Amino acid sequence: MIQEIRVSELDATRFIADQVAAIQSAVGQGAAINALSGGVDSAVVTMLGHRALGKCLRTVMVDNGLMREGELERTIAIFAELGVPVELIDAREAFFAALAGLTDPERKREAITQTFYRDVFGSLVRSSGARVLLQGTILTDVDETVAGIKRQHNVFAQLGIDPEATFGYAIVEPLLQLRKDGVRKVGAALGLPTEVFARMPFPGPALAARVIGEATPERIETVRLATAVVERALAGCGAFQYLAILHEDRVTGMRSGRRSFGQQIEVRCWDSADARTASPTALPWDTLRRLADTILEEVPGVVSVTYNLATKPPSTIEAI
Ligand code: XMP
């Protein structure tokens, strides 16, 4: 049973000191490795790890082909400013090969988990000699996985999986007792720029979680373009999270007076405190209309744009 630390009772300075000590004792004289995705959780773990281990922590950013527009470059530049070198690993082929032909959400998640932990990290850890992977799992990830709602890509011990036996390295998870609001508080106390710690959540399986059906490079590109439009249009709207989803079904539309059997984008925008429950944001009609027009204009092949009105539960924030 993990002991939750609520944001109201979280002393960020003490939490940081405790976790730095815990990381140092788990890693000992050896080396550790961690993956930065650009999201809040992995950014906070990267800073904690560098405080604890300095040069003995190797931070990598895995290009899985599923990232948002400009995300790799922006994240690497931000961390360079903070004095944290980040190594870029190109694993696009491995991820798309693993996702080929898969349409079931849980099988897609499993393919991403295996490619990341077994293939990409397995060989990285073997070649680097690191024995420990630092990872930003938070309590919400564990809750949903254990409840069987969604297999989060980064949960093992709570499912009875021993990473050391399965993948050949130990996993240390300094944020396990926190939820998103607590992680943000720790991020601020670590001196991360607001742009990083206040960032909206983004799932580990990245844009593959936003494509219903097969996540091919072409379909990922479509949702990447739509995501960029949604993030631009809704920036500063104050919502917890907003996203674009590419549907599997096509619908009949028309372009230049001709039939176009086109694709559908669903927009979701959520009000929430901690992602456990959420409701759709009451966006102004003008904002929604402009957003739809821009998607139709800028994302090739799309002829339908919808806005989600369901709450979580029974919906979930992501689509897969
Ligand atoms: P759902 O879709 O389950 O999402 O309502 C709850 C929150 O978690 C994020 N999310 C994930 N984060 N790995 C993660 O690290 C995952 O596999 C994953 N799936 C969803 C989601 O963006 C939302 O903020």
Side-chain angles (χ1 to χ4, degrees), residues 48-70:
L48 277 175
H50 274 269
R51 242 187 223 197
L53 305 171
K55 287 192 168 26
C56 294
L57 178 66
R58 182 173 169 199
T59 296
V60 301
M61 193 155 185
V62 176
D63 182 2
N64 53 17
L66 309 170
M67 299 290 202
R68 284 171 292 185
E69 216 170 78

Side-chain angles (χ1 to χ4, degrees), residues 178-196:
L178 305 180
R179 296 198 188 269
K180 196 62 95 186
D181 45 5
V183 178
R184 291 205 165 109
K185 192 167 164 183
V186 172
L190 281 165
L192 279 169
T194 314
E195 173 194 355
V196 176

Side-chain angles (χ1 to χ4, degrees), residues 233-269:
L234 301 185
C237 78
F240 176 80
Q241 196 169 356
Y242 33 90
L243 49 129
I245 293 160
L246 175 63
H247 279 231
E248 193 167 23
D249 289 347
R250 288 176 176 259
V251 290
T252 300
M254 55 188 290
R255 277 196 188 278
S256 316
R258 301 179 63 146
R259 179 179 191 275
S260 160
F261 196 47
Q263 311 217 66
Q264 307 192 66
I265 289 289
E266 176 188 332
V267 176
R268 294 183 177 192
C269 181

Side-chain angles (χ1 to χ4, degrees), residues 41 109 140-141 144 149-154 180 201-205 209-210 240-241 275 312 315-320:
D41 307 339
R109 285 175 171 269
T140 317
D141 300 341
E144 296 212 347
I149 296 165
K150 261 181 211 187
R151 168 77 164 92
Q152 306 269 328
H153 74 292
N154 53 0
K180 196 62 95 186
F202 187 66
R210 307 228 169 130
F240 176 80
Q241 196 169 356
K312 171 183 179 174
S315 182
T316 59
I317 287 177
E318 306 289 345
I320 78 152

Side-chain angles (χ1 to χ4, degrees), residues 21-38:
I23 293 170
Q24 286 167 338
S25 104
V27 176
Q29 294 307 307
I33 195 161
N34 85 302
L36 181 60
S37 70

